Amino acid sequence: MPDVYYQHPNTWFGDCMPIFHDGAFYLFHQRDLRNPGPLPDCEPFGWALARTTDFVNYEDLGDAIIPGGDHDQDQFIYAGSVLRSGEKFVAMYTGYNRDHFEAEGKPSQVLMIAESDDLIHWRKTDTTVVVPQEGYDPDDWRDPWVIHDAEHDQYLMVLGTRKAGAKTLPTGRTVAFTSTDLEHWDFQGDFWAPDLYTMHEMPDLFREGDWWYHLVTEYSESSKTIYRRARSLDGPWEAGVDDAFDGRAYYAARSVSDGQHRYLVGWVPTRWDDDDTKAWQWGGTLVVHEIVQRPDGMLGTKIPDQVRAHLEGRTVTSVPGFALERRDGLAERVVASELPQPALLTTTLKVEPDTHAVSIRFGEDPATQVGYQFLLRIAEGRFEFDKRPNWPWGQFDNRDLDRPLFIGDGEEHTVALVIDGDIATLYVDDVALNVRFNAPAGTQVAIDVVDGRVAVGEVVISTVS
């Protein structure tokens, strides 16, 4: 089990519905028991609840909203959102019947409501409040997100769906409803319909400064959480050069704010048979990013301060700064023979213009140099994760495990690498990439440069005290 990242024992963490209340983050989420396998083959689940104040220590509060029976609309409790309304809390959730409703010609996914006085004990109303609208797929209608629109003094709900028809068509969209009482909803049509993806999942809306941000986990391009921004809820919704928060191995991320900081709660999936070459599975481990708003209004991420402080408890290795240079090949430096668990590696990089690449390597066998690497392709303006060497070919499937990155400017850039069990998270400045690796050949850590020069600052490896 991971140390810092969260995964309840003998379960796999699924979609998260966060809310901040009374000094704590309440993380409603799905727990897949993988009996007999991961979603969609698992037994029905509802919402479980974990509570934390620091994203380091988690209190398990068990099952919160219980699923219905095999012939009930809410055989599964799929994703939704939780908000406070007066003196009570309301959960708007997706009731999904997997086994019977679609065959019987009924919508398999509808929106339902549960209520609570304390966020821990819930009463299902068994009321269907929103059904799929005409022209939309009745079996892809889920993941509502509700906010209070203060400008119009009403509630605004967005959810993910797609148009009726072939599921291979890129008709995924976010649709909107409005309400004054959370029970009676007026359909407002498409909220964001870019004709890019086959489905929108886990939509989110929040405002930061002068900008509204709309988050969506897309289903067909790279299966990652992306965002758009707009000056108003009416759009238009615009993308930046980097429109994502992470890569393929970070799914269904939602945001939550404590009034001062906003965090992203998503999960890192596992692979079939824990095999680097096989497909990703639904569910895995919670990883939290803190969202950073850049001066131009675009978004990045960083390690939450509490998590970083926890990992900086004890310094294990400290290597003074050094330079690596070679104009026609690779120059390298081993910075540690082994890593503790969990580990935080921090340093800085100054990469000379026209340098081809820089790598941060770990899980390496010193004799064979087989391991893993975050490869910063300086000349291409991106970084990626892969096996090193990836030979025989096909040792690792790294499709969409990459991010845009522009650091070949000779300026100093910060690097932070978190390794917790079989999950690695690299932050370069405010650009993050999560990965899962299953077959480390050793424990060596190294840094290298290819066709150029890099000045590496002090390398500090720390772990919890």
Side-chain angles (χ1 to χ4, degrees), residues 46-319:
W47 285 7
L49 177 58
R51 181 168 58 192
T52 182
T53 60
D54 56 10
F55 301 118
V56 173
N57 302 289
Y58 292 85
E59 179 185 4
D60 171 37
L61 295 174
D63 293 327
I65 305 180
I66 308 299
D70 289 347
H71 291 274
D72 292 329
Q73 175 68 68
D74 59 353
Q75 179 190 24
F76 285 76
I77 307 292
Y78 268 14
S81 63
V82 180
L83 71 158
R84 187 166 188 170
S85 176
E87 296 302 313
K88 66 180 180 181
F89 298 92
V90 174
M92 185 77 71
Y93 68 86
T94 306
Y96 170 51
N97 187 287
R98 175 189 64 186
D99 293 336
H100 301 287
F101 278 33
E102 184 174 356
E104 295 171 3
K106 304 175 185 177
S108 66
Q109 298 182 7
V110 303
L111 305 191
M112 307 178 75
I113 284 181
E115 298 177 344
S116 174
D117 299 319
D118 60 3
L119 283 172
I120 298 174
H121 304 92
W122 289 85
R123 305 175 297 276
K124 291 195 299 183
T125 66
D126 294 323
T127 301
T128 297
V129 293
V130 173
V131 299
Q133 301 295 292
E134 184 177 356
Y136 295 87
D137 191 328
D139 304 310
D140 280 317
W141 181 265
R142 57 183 177 268
D143 308 343
W145 181 260
V146 184
I147 64 170
H148 185 257
D149 178 5
E151 181 179 352
H152 300 97
D153 192 23
Q154 63 184 357
Y155 293 102
L156 171 65
M157 176 173 67
V158 294
L159 63 94
T161 184
R162 60 179 316 283
K163 299 292 283 185
K167 293 182 184 293
T168 56
L169 295 175
T171 62
R173 58 239 296 117
T174 310
V175 298
F177 289 80
T178 56
S179 173
T180 58
D181 60 8
L182 294 175
E183 294 183 12
H184 304 90
W185 292 91
D186 297 318
F187 184 49
Q188 303 299 327
D190 290 344
F191 181 80
W192 185 50
D195 298 319
L196 292 172
Y197 315 113
T198 61
M199 179 64 186
H200 289 190
E201 289 196 313
M202 298 294 284
D204 185 327
L205 275 173
F206 66 86
R207 186 170 186 169
E208 195 73 38
D210 295 331
W211 292 98
W212 281 97
Y213 296 94
H214 177 37
L215 281 57
V216 165
T217 296
E218 48 90 358
Y219 215 52
S220 54
E221 285 294 297
S222 302
S223 294
K224 60 187 179 183
T225 301
I226 60 163
Y227 75 95
R228 296 292 188 268
R229 68 174 185 173
R231 294 291 187 181
S232 80
L233 288 169
D234 297 324
W237 296 96
E238 61 182 53
V241 173
D242 179 5
D243 68 346
F245 295 98
D246 208 308
R248 169 65 182 88
Y250 191 70
Y251 201 77
R254 281 267 179 81
S255 76
V256 60
S257 174
D258 61 4
Q260 295 183 315
H261 307 275
R262 184 168 291 273
Y263 301 93
L264 205 62
V265 289
W267 47 266
V268 176
T270 55
R271 291 191 194 259
W272 283 97
D273 301 322
D274 296 324
D275 187 329
D276 284 342
T277 68
K278 293 188 177 180
W280 299 104
Q281 297 170 304
W282 189 90
T285 308
L286 170 70
V287 173
V288 180
H289 295 309
E290 182 176 339
I291 295 177
V292 175
Q293 188 181 45
R294 299 167 181 157
D296 64 359
M298 305 310 292
L299 300 178
T301 58
K302 58 175 259 187
I303 304 175
D305 292 340
Q306 309 94 312
V307 175
R308 184 171 188 132
H310 178 70
L311 287 167
E312 289 179 333
R314 177 170 60 90
T315 298
V316 177
T317 301
S318 178
V319 177

Side-chain angles (χ1 to χ4, degrees), residues 336-339 360-366 368-373 385 387-388 417 419 437 439-446:
S337 59
E338 60 183 28
L339 277 179
I360 301 170
R361 296 157 24 198
F362 67 93
E364 190 169 88
D365 180 336
T368 65
Q369 289 195 322
V370 172
Y372 295 93
Q373 66 178 354
F385 184 74
K387 199 78 177 281
R388 181 187 186 274
L417 172 62
I419 297 182
F437 58 97
T443 59
Q444 179 170 282
V445 183

